[in-house]
Each structure stands twice: as structure tokens, then as C-alpha cells.
Amino acid sequence: MKYNLAFRYRIYPNEIQANLILQTFGCVRFVYNKILSKAKEIYELEGKNKVITPASLKSEFPFLKEVDSLSLANAQMNVKIAFTNFFQKRTAFPKFKSKKTARKSYSTNSVNNSIRIESTFLKLPKLGLVKIKLHRDIPQNYKIKSATISQEPNGAFYVSILTEFQRDIKEVPSDNNIVG
């Protein structure tokens, strides 16, 4: 059986990396709001759950090419999930993300080992090697699936690394099977 487990670490990006992380936060929020706006428009006109892709926004907004494309794709997926939850009556209509109140974070997926730990550094797409405080190791048999980079109000950066691992659980006999 496969399980997921996340590990959270403090990261110490250099100035260039920190600026790119902040830019990515803004772009993810921007893309989320643009996609939500277009989805809302389609919903009001057609009553359908349709979501545009971030790639369709890149020609109009070239600055989106500078950040990790998977983070923008995850913003699209978040809008899609929010709309699905709304249509299944699990939640209210999706809300736009505010620059002031939105949580500063973005997620990116590991494709072809693009997220990995190398000594005291974490390799991330577009950012390269970022210094990481590894206070506990990720077991060797755990596969890194994604990383969510976030910033706390005090300015500290963190990464939450989502891993997947396989565990075989042997069947334990129940008390009903014991003959006494």
C-alpha cells in the first residue's frame, strides 16, 4: 500500500532566489485570479465548469515565463478543485486571492528527479540549489512527489516536501479466528 508523508524544513535562499520565490508567489496568485475570473465568466454565460490553462496567459503576460510552470499549473488545478467543490455543493463559490491576506506559498511537482536533496542543499526547479536545514533525513526508499515553498509573516522561508512510500501490511489474525 502506498502512503504519503510530508517533511517540513527551513530553507535559506540567497537574494536572487528569494526574489524569484516572491515573484512566483505573485505570479501564482495572479494566474489563480485570472483563471478564476475567466471561469466565473464562462460559468455566468454557459453555466459550465470550464477552466483555462496558464499557457494561454503567457503570450499576454510574458513575465509568467520567468517562474516555474508547474507552480502555475498547480494554481490552475486549485481553481479546478475549487469549482468542482462548488458544483458538488461542498463549499461556497471560489474567492479571489488578495495580495494582502493570501498565504504566500506555491507548490511544484517533481518531474524526472527535479526536486532532490544534495548534501545541505535542496534542488528546486528554476531556483537551483537552495540551502536547507535538514534536521531529519528523508528515508532512502521515500520518493519525493512535490514541494511547497512558503514564507512566514516574519520573512522566514520553509519547504514542505511531500513523499510517497510503499508499506506492506501483513494481515493480523482477528480474535475470532483463535480457537481456545
Side-chain angles (χ1 to χ4, degrees):
M1 190 179 261
K2 289 187 179 184
Y3 293 92
N4 291 339
L5 185 63
F7 296 85
R8 189 170 190 246
Y9 301 102
R10 174 89 189 262
I11 57 172
Y12 300 91
N14 63 34
E15 192 178 337
I16 293 167
Q17 291 168 331
N19 288 336
L20 185 56
I21 290 171
L22 295 174
Q23 183 181 355
T24 305
F25 291 158
C27 288
V28 166
R29 185 185 63 252
F30 177 81
V31 165
Y32 180 93
N33 288 340
K34 281 287 184 191
I35 292 174
L36 179 57
S37 173
K38 190 68 177 165
K40 182 179 179 192
E41 197 178 292
I42 293 168
Y43 172 68
E44 288 170 352
L45 289 173
E46 304 173 20
K48 291 182 181 172
N49 178 6
K50 277 189 177 173
V51 177
I52 63 170
T53 65
S56 64
L57 298 170
K58 286 185 179 180
S59 58
E60 190 179 348
F61 305 102
F63 60 88
L64 294 176
K65 294 177 185 172
E66 297 171 21
V67 300
D68 180 16
S69 62
L70 290 173
S71 65
L72 302 180
N74 282 325
Q76 174 199 11
M77 291 301 301
N78 291 341
V79 173
K80 202 173 205 165
I81 290 166
F83 254 89
T84 300
N85 288 341
F86 167 71
F87 277 106
Q88 293 178 351
K89 309 230 184 297
R90 287 190 232 161
T91 185
F93 195 83
K95 293 181 180 156
F96 291 96
K97 299 208 179 286
S98 163
K99 195 175 200 174
K100 294 184 174 105
T101 58
R103 187 175 190 292
K104 291 183 178 179
S105 71
Y106 75 88
S107 293
T108 185
N109 303 352
S110 182
V111 178
N112 296 328
N113 204 23
S114 61
I115 301 171
R116 63 184 177 275
I117 294 171
E118 296 180 5
S119 182
T120 59
F121 293 92
L122 175 66
K123 171 85 170 71
L124 290 167
K126 290 279 185 175
L127 292 173
L129 295 173
V130 181
K131 189 140 181 62
I132 186 170
K133 173 77 171 159
L134 277 172
H135 58 278
R136 64 183 160 163
D137 289 330
I138 295 175
Q140 292 286 25
N141 59 333
Y142 286 32
K143 181 182 173 203
I144 295 176
K145 291 186 66 160
S146 66
T148 300
I149 293 86
S150 61
Q151 185 184 30
E152 295 294 316
N154 68 2
F157 290 98
Y158 288 87
V159 64
S160 181
I161 301 173
L162 181 66
T163 63
E164 180 181 80
F165 63 98
Q166 186 102 16
R167 179 178 287 171
D168 296 326
I169 299 177
K170 305 236 186 313
E171 292 236 2
V172 179
S174 66
D175 291 340
N176 297 342
N177 296 339
I178 300 173
V179 179

